[in-house]
Amino acid sequence: MLPRKPTGKTGQGERKAGRGRAARDRRPRAELVIITGMSGSGKASVLKAFEDLGYYCVDNLPVGLIPQFAELAGQSSEIERTALVVDVREGTQLEALPEIVKSVRRFLPTKMIFLEAADSVLLRRFSETRRPHPLGTNTTVKASLAAERQHLRRIRAMADLVIDTSKFNVHELRSHITERFQKQESGNNILVSCVSFGFKHGVPEDADLVFDVRFLPNPHFVPEFRPLTGRDPKVAKYIRSFPQTKEFISRISKLLVYLLPHYIREGKSYLTISFGCTGGQHRSVMIAEDVSKRLRTAGYRVKVVHRDSPG
């Protein structure tokens, strides 16, 4: 008997299935980072750095739930990168972590970071924060640290990265993590908000940089422009017709392109740049729009907010 030829319907189904597989193959593989180490070594600061890098972060997830968490992350179409903290707060359950990590690594790319610091540094940090050691208050912090080191020795040995935070302050530690884990293709990993506002309504409270554009000619005094905003092509063309407008946009854009990498190196994950005119309807709106376009061209993620502009 000759083999039956596939019908068009079956072929169509196979093509759809092929497209589905291709789409799944194109989706970036999920990644899990497990942060652990000595109490007082900076795990909370490191987790915050990962959060700013766009990781989905969980603090103190029960060890027994890590496989389920990793499986869900691997199947999610929205969560690409995840990070979680596991430490001695888990008690005896922490002993299962090495085997759990080995099993998770079989189906999900997983890295383990171990943070530590010199005893003298950890003792000083506990003294400054006046917080008890997680192992309890029935013994000294020094004795608890010694017991913790012994307890974590096996976990430290299997870590992909061991970081001694003794000489790092909070900002330096976050910068170190950012440099190591920031995606190469997203070097400009900072969200810039270009905000227009009117000085008569007050300066935005969350502004990092404020530029006053009231030196530019005011379209408010042109009757046909008064009901419009700086997003209207006619109004924007009028404001751009003045040489000081073009020079201001060029100079400010170059300044911001120079400054942003420095903000990124300092660990800043977002920056709010505010442009103000009298009412926040014409000049500041147009400037915010044009500067945002320049920053996007330079490769930055930018959103525009017109706080006091109607519509």
Side-chain angles (χ1 to χ4, degrees):
M1 181 181 294
L2 295 175
R4 182 183 301 173
K5 292 183 178 181
T7 64
K9 194 171 184 180
T10 304
Q12 186 179 23
E14 290 177 349
R15 287 194 296 272
K16 288 183 178 178
R19 286 196 295 269
R21 284 193 297 271
R24 288 193 295 273
D25 292 340
R26 286 194 301 270
R27 192 176 73 81
R29 291 191 69 191
E31 171 192 345
L32 173 64
V33 176
I34 298 176
I35 305 160
T36 187
M38 296 293 294
S39 299
S41 60
K43 296 187 295 294
S45 296
V46 169
L47 188 67
K48 181 62 179 175
F50 276 105
E51 186 175 23
D52 289 342
L53 286 172
Y55 283 69
Y56 181 90
C57 296
V58 180
D59 185 20
N60 200 26
L61 181 73
V63 170
L65 294 180
I66 292 178
Q68 294 95 314
F69 177 81
E71 188 175 352
L72 289 172
Q75 295 173 351
S76 174
S77 61
E78 298 179 356
I79 300 175
E80 177 184 344
R81 302 185 295 171
T82 57
L84 56 89
V85 168
V86 180
D87 54 32
V88 293
R89 290 174 291 177
E90 279 292 295
T92 58
Q93 298 298 315
L94 192 62
E95 297 176 3
L97 182 62
E99 295 304 320
I100 288 176
V101 172
K102 289 179 183 178
S103 67
V104 170
R105 280 175 171 164
R106 295 190 187 104
F107 64 89
L108 185 70
T110 303
K111 294 179 182 177
M112 182 183 291
I113 302 174
F114 188 95
L115 305 180
E116 62 183 8
D119 280 354
S120 59
V121 174
L122 295 175
L123 285 169
R124 188 187 73 242
R125 291 173 182 173
F126 273 102
S127 176
E128 291 172 350
T129 60
R130 298 182 181 180
R131 297 190 65 186
H133 191 280
L135 292 183
T137 57
N138 296 328
T139 184
T140 64
V141 173
K142 186 175 183 179
S144 295
L145 289 173
E148 185 178 20
R149 283 193 192 280
Q150 180 66 25
H151 194 52
L152 296 175
R153 187 167 59 178
R154 185 182 170 203
I155 293 173
R156 184 188 186 280
M158 67 180 300
D160 300 285
L161 177 64
V162 177
I163 302 176
D164 187 336
T165 68
S166 299
K167 296 182 179 179
F168 286 134
N169 61 34
V170 172
H171 302 292
E172 292 167 341
L173 180 57
R174 288 184 60 182
S175 177
H176 182 71
I177 293 297
T178 299
E179 289 175 3
R180 294 194 72 112
F181 287 88
Q182 192 167 6
K183 284 186 171 182
Q184 294 300 316
E185 66 270 22
S186 59
N188 297 338
N189 192 21
I190 186 171
L191 176 62
V192 181
S193 294
C194 287
V195 180
S196 70
F197 73 95
F199 276 98
K200 72 178 183 180
H201 303 296
V203 177
E205 294 182 357
D206 59 346
D208 295 299
L209 299 173
V210 177
F211 296 100
D212 187 345
V213 299
R214 289 177 292 186
F215 68 92
L216 298 174
N218 193 348
H220 176 79
F221 298 110
V222 179
E224 65 175 299
F225 294 156
R226 187 170 299 177
L228 305 176
T229 74
R231 283 174 288 183
D232 187 282
K234 295 190 293 293
V235 176
K237 182 179 179 180
Y238 170 80
I239 300 173
R240 289 195 198 97
S241 67
F242 300 96
Q244 59 265 43
T245 302
K246 296 178 181 178
E247 184 174 1
F248 176 79
I249 292 173
S250 176
R251 286 176 178 266
I252 289 298
S253 299
K254 290 178 181 177
L255 173 64
L256 293 173
V257 169
Y258 164 76
L259 289 174
L260 284 169
H262 296 283
Y263 282 116
I264 292 171
R265 279 195 289 272
E266 286 300 310
K268 201 162 183 66
S269 56
Y270 55 87
L271 188 76
T272 301
I273 307 166
S274 298
F275 300 94
C277 60
T278 304
Q281 182 174 334
H282 297 110
R283 293 166 291 180
S284 61
V285 170
M286 178 265 165
I287 296 294
E289 291 283 347
D290 272 31
V291 171
S292 69
K293 292 175 184 176
R294 301 267 184 127
L295 294 180
R296 287 194 189 99
T297 301
Y300 292 95
R301 294 185 298 133
V302 186
K303 71 174 183 178
V304 183
V305 178
H306 300 302
R307 193 193 70 176
D308 301 322
S309 177

